[in-house]
C-alpha cells in the first residue's frame, strides 16, 4: 500500500464537507464574517498597529506535563509583543487525544488555542472549527514536508506544525541484544525467550497492529465519504495473503518471548526487568533511558517472517500541531500565539525540556536532535510508515482479533474466518 493513497483520500474525500463546514457566521465581536475570512485576514506577524484596547484574553489547552514549558513560551510571547496589548493567557489542562471531541462538542466555549494530533484535523476543519493559517507559505517553508502535509487540506493549512515524532519504533536493552539481533523479530523473540524475558507489544490496538499489514502489498484506507474504510487484508491471492499474516501472528503469539500488553504497562515491565524490548513511542524515551542507562537502544521496527519471506514492519506516522479556534474573540492574537509557540526557537525549547522531535527543519537538523536515539528511530521508521487516515470502525475489531490470536485460537477457527471477521468489522458501514 502506498502512503500517497491514504494521504490523498483524506484530502479529496472532505473537500465538499469543508466547503459546507466553514460557511457559518462567526459570533465573535472582532472576527470577520466567517471563520475562513478570519484566518485569511489575520494581521501579519509583529504588525498590530496601535495598542489594542482592553485585555486580550486567551485560553490555551495543554497536557499538564507541558505546563512549565508553556509558561516559558507565554512569558516569551508577552515580552515579544510588549506594548502592543495587555495579555491574560490562561493554561487549562486537557488531553491532546480529547481535543477533537471537545472542540466539536461546543466550538463556541472551548480554548482559543489547542494542540492536537494530525488524524483529528480533517473532521475539525470540516466542522468549521479551525481557522485557516494566514502565513501559510512562511510556515510551510519552515517545517518538514510531512508535517506540512499532515496539517493541510488541499493547499490550505489548518494547523501550525509542532512536532514530528508521533509514531512508534523498537526499544531494546543492549545488555541482551546486538545491533544484528534487532533487525528481525524472529531473533528478538529468540533472545527474549533464551533469557526468560519478553518482547512487548500492544496487539489490541489497531494503531500498533497496522505494522503487520502495511508493507504486505495489501490495501487499506478511508473511503471518499470520510467515514468508512476499504480493506482487502483478507485477500486469497497475491505474494502475501490474509491467512499468511494470521499464521505469522499466531507463531509470534505462541513464542515464550512474546507478551501482549498495553503500551501503558511497557515502562513498568521494563523497570521490573521482565521486558527487554518493546514497541512504543518517544513519550516513553526518558523513562526507558533512565531504566536501561547506557544499554538503552532505539531503532526502526524489525522485519517479521510472513509467507516464507521477511516483511518490514510498517507503522502509522503522526505529527502534532497547534490549532486556533475560528471563533476566537481575539483571533489575530490567537493566531500569533500559535505561530509563536511553534516557531524554531520554541521547538528547540520543546525538544530541550520535553525531548519532543521538532517539525521545524532547522531545529530538527541540530546536532542535539541527531544524538537522541528515540527521535532518530522514529525518523528512520517513517520511511516505512503512512499517515493515519482511518474511518470510525477501524479500531474496535482488533480487540477480538487480538484476543483470538494471543489465546491460541481456542475455538479452532480457520485463519480465513479470522481475517474475514477482522475485515468485515473494519469495513462495516456507519451510514444509515
Amino acid at each position: 500500500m502506498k502512503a500517497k493513497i491514504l494521504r490523498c483520500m483524506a484530502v479529496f474525500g472532505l473537500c465538499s464537507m469543508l466547503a459546507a463546514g466553514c460557511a457559518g457566521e462567526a459570533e465573535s465581536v472582532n472576527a470577520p464574517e466567517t471563520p475562513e475570512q478570519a484566518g485569511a485576514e489575520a494581521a501579519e506577524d509583529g504588525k498590530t498597529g496601535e495598542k489594542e484596547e482592553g485585555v486580550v484574553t486567551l485560553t490555551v489547552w495543554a497536557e499538564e506535563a507541558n505546563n512549565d514549558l508553556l509558561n516559558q513560551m507565554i512569558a516569551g510571547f508577552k515580552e515579544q509583543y510588549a506594548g502592543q496589548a495587555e495579555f491574560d493567557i490562561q493554561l487549562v489542562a486537557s488531553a491532546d487525544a480529547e481535543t477533537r471531541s471537545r472542540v466539536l462538542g461546543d466550538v463556541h466555549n472551548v480554548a482559543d488555542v489547542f494542540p492536537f494530533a494530525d488524524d483529528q484535523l480533517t473532521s475539525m476543519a470540516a466542522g468549521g472549527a479551525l481557522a485557516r493559517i494566514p502565513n501559510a507559505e512562511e510556515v510551510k517553508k519552515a517545517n518538514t514536508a510531512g508535517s506540512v502535509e499532515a496539517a493541510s487540506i488541499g493547499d490550505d493549512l489548518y494547523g501550525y506544525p509542532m512536532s514530528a515524532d508521533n509514531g512508534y519504533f523498537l526499544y531494546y536493552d543492549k545488555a541482551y541484544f546486538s545491533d544484528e539481533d534487532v533487525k528481525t523479530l524472529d531473533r528478538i523473540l529468540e533472545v527474549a525467550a533464551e533469557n526468560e524475558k519478553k518482547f512487548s507489544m500492544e496487539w489490541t490496538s489497531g494503531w500498533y497492529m497496522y505494522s503487520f499489514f502495511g508493507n504486505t502489498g495489501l490495501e487499506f484506507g478511508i473511503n471518499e465519504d470520510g467515514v468508512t474504510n476499504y480493506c482487502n487484508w483478507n485477500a486469497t491471492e497475491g505474494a502475501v495473503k490474509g491467512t499468511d499474516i494470521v499464521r505469522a501472528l499466531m507463531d509470534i503469539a505462541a513464542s515464550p518471548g512474546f507478551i501482549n500488553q498495553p503500551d501503558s504497562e511497557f515502562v513498568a515491565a521494563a523497570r521490573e526487568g521482565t521486558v527487554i524490548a518493546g514497541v512504543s513511542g518517544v513519550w516513553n524515551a526518558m523513562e526507558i533511558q533512565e531504566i536501561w542507562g547506557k544499554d538503552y537502544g532505539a531503532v526502526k521496527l524489525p522485519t517479521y517472517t510472513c509467507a516464507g519471506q521477511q516483511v518490514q514492519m510498517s507503522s502509522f506516522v503522526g505529527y502534532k500541531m497547534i490549532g486556533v479556534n475560528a471563533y476566537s474573540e481575539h483571533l489575530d492574537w490567537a493566531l500569533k500565539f500559535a505561530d509563536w509557540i511553534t516557531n524554531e526557537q520554541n521547538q528547540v525549547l520543546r525538544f530541550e525540556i520535553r525531548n519532543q522531535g521538532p517539525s521545524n527543519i532547522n531545529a530538527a537538523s541540530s546536532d542535539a536532535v541527531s544524538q537522541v536515539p528515540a527521535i532518530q528511530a522514529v525518523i528512520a521508521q517513517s520511511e516505512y510508515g503512512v499517515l493515519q487516515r482511518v474511518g470510525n470502525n477501524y479500531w474496535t475489531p482488533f480487540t477480538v482479533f487480538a484476543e483470538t490470536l494471543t489465546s491460541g485460537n481456542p475455538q479452532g477457527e480457520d485463519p480465513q474466518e479470522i481475517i474475514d471477521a477482522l475485515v468485515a468489522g473494519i469495513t462495516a458501514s456507519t451510514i444509515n
Side-chain angles (χ1 to χ4, degrees):
M1 178 174 60
K2 301 297 184 183
K4 64 181 181 182
I5 294 176
L6 284 177
R7 292 166 178 165
C8 290
M9 295 304 293
V11 172
F12 294 115
L14 286 167
C15 286
S16 60
M17 293 173 63
L18 288 172
C22 295
E25 288 191 353
E27 296 179 357
S28 59
V29 295
N30 292 341
E33 185 177 4
T34 69
E36 282 292 296
Q37 292 171 332
E41 296 174 10
E44 297 177 13
D45 279 348
K47 297 179 181 179
T48 60
E50 297 180 359
K51 181 175 179 178
E52 185 161 334
E53 295 184 4
V55 177
V56 174
T57 301
L58 298 176
T59 300
V60 180
W61 282 347
E63 296 272 6
E64 191 170 358
N66 290 323
N67 279 2
D68 290 344
L69 170 66
L70 264 295
N71 280 323
Q72 290 191 47
M73 294 180 181
I74 289 171
F77 179 78
K78 290 180 177 179
E79 182 178 351
Q80 174 72 15
Y81 291 101
Q84 297 185 31
E86 180 181 349
F87 299 103
D88 178 18
I89 302 175
Q90 300 293 327
L91 281 181
V92 175
S94 180
D96 294 355
E98 298 176 0
T99 297
R100 172 171 51 194
S101 60
R102 294 188 65 186
V103 168
L104 293 180
D106 187 1
V107 69
H108 297 286
N109 292 290
V110 295
D112 300 278
V113 177
F114 39 76
F116 62 95
D118 64 89
D119 63 300
Q120 302 178 43
L121 176 114
T122 50
S123 54
M124 286 199 290
L130 294 175
R132 186 157 50 90
I133 306 307
N135 57 328
E137 291 308 311
E138 174 188 334
V139 174
K140 289 177 180 179
K141 290 178 182 178
N143 290 277
T144 63
S147 67
V148 169
E149 179 182 3
S152 300
I153 297 176
D155 293 328
D156 291 326
L157 199 64
Y158 284 89
Y160 288 94
M162 176 178 69
S163 65
D165 58 8
N166 197 32
Y168 45 93
F169 47 88
L170 176 74
Y171 283 105
Y172 69 101
D173 186 341
K174 293 181 179 179
Y176 295 90
F177 299 98
S178 68
D179 292 345
E180 190 67 24
D181 289 334
V182 296
K183 291 182 179 180
T184 68
L185 186 54
D186 292 342
R187 183 57 184 155
I188 292 170
L189 292 170
E190 286 176 1
V191 172
E194 289 168 0
N195 290 277
E196 298 184 343
K197 305 292 184 181
K198 301 290 185 181
F199 158 78
S200 168
M201 189 173 178
E202 184 174 357
W203 276 21
T204 54
S205 168
W207 198 57
Y208 291 108
M209 287 299 280
Y210 175 79
S211 61
F212 294 105
F213 295 90
N215 279 326
T216 60
L218 301 177
E219 296 184 351
F220 163 80
I222 191 168
N223 287 317
E224 291 186 5
D225 59 22
V227 178
T228 59
N229 303 299
Y230 63 87
C231 181
N232 75 339
W233 289 350
N234 59 341
T236 58
E237 296 181 355
V240 177
K241 300 182 290 295
T243 53
D244 294 326
I245 301 173
V246 171
R247 291 188 177 98
L249 293 173
M250 285 181 172
D251 289 341
I252 295 169
S255 169
F258 172 76
I259 184 171
N260 165 40
Q261 63 181 177
D263 179 72
S264 58
E265 297 178 10
F266 168 57
V267 171
R271 192 178 301 279
E272 293 169 358
T274 58
V275 164
I276 56 174
V279 176
S280 188
V282 296
W283 49 89
N284 284 326
M286 299 181 80
E287 289 182 277
I288 292 297
Q289 184 172 13
E290 176 190 346
I291 294 167
W292 290 338
K294 62 181 179 60
D295 291 322
Y296 151 67
V299 292
K300 73 170 181 64
L301 294 177
T303 61
Y304 78 106
T305 300
C306 184
Q309 57 187 296
Q310 288 296 306
V311 176
Q312 171 62 51
M313 292 176 69
S314 184
S315 62
F316 281 132
V317 296
Y319 303 86
K320 286 196 174 182
M321 59 199 73
I322 296 294
V324 174
N325 189 334
Y327 295 92
S328 172
E329 183 178 355
H330 300 284
L331 185 60
D332 55 343
W333 283 113
L335 286 161
K336 284 186 177 63
F337 181 77
D339 193 18
W340 172 262
I341 64 176
T342 56
N343 65 16
E344 179 182 346
Q345 72 181 75
N346 281 310
Q347 288 203 30
V348 169
L349 184 64
R350 185 174 287 105
F351 164 73
E352 292 174 345
I353 294 179
R354 296 289 296 153
N355 213 29
Q356 295 176 355
S359 62
N360 179 275
I361 294 171
N362 291 338
S365 62
S366 71
D367 290 339
V369 171
S370 69
Q371 295 173 22
V372 178
I375 293 178
Q376 293 308 302
V378 79
I379 291 173
Q381 179 58 37
S382 67
E383 180 181 346
Y384 307 101
V386 297
L387 281 173
Q388 177 186 309
R389 294 293 182 265
V390 304
N392 297 341
N393 282 334
Y394 175 75
W395 308 104
T396 302
F398 279 97
T399 301
V400 174
F401 181 70
E403 288 175 353
T404 300
L405 299 179
T406 56
S407 62
N409 189 18
Q411 302 302 317
E413 295 178 73
D414 182 79
Q416 188 66 52
E417 293 177 353
I418 294 172
I419 193 65
D420 282 345
L422 176 66
V423 171
I426 290 173
T427 59
S429 174
T430 57
I431 301 175
N432 296 324

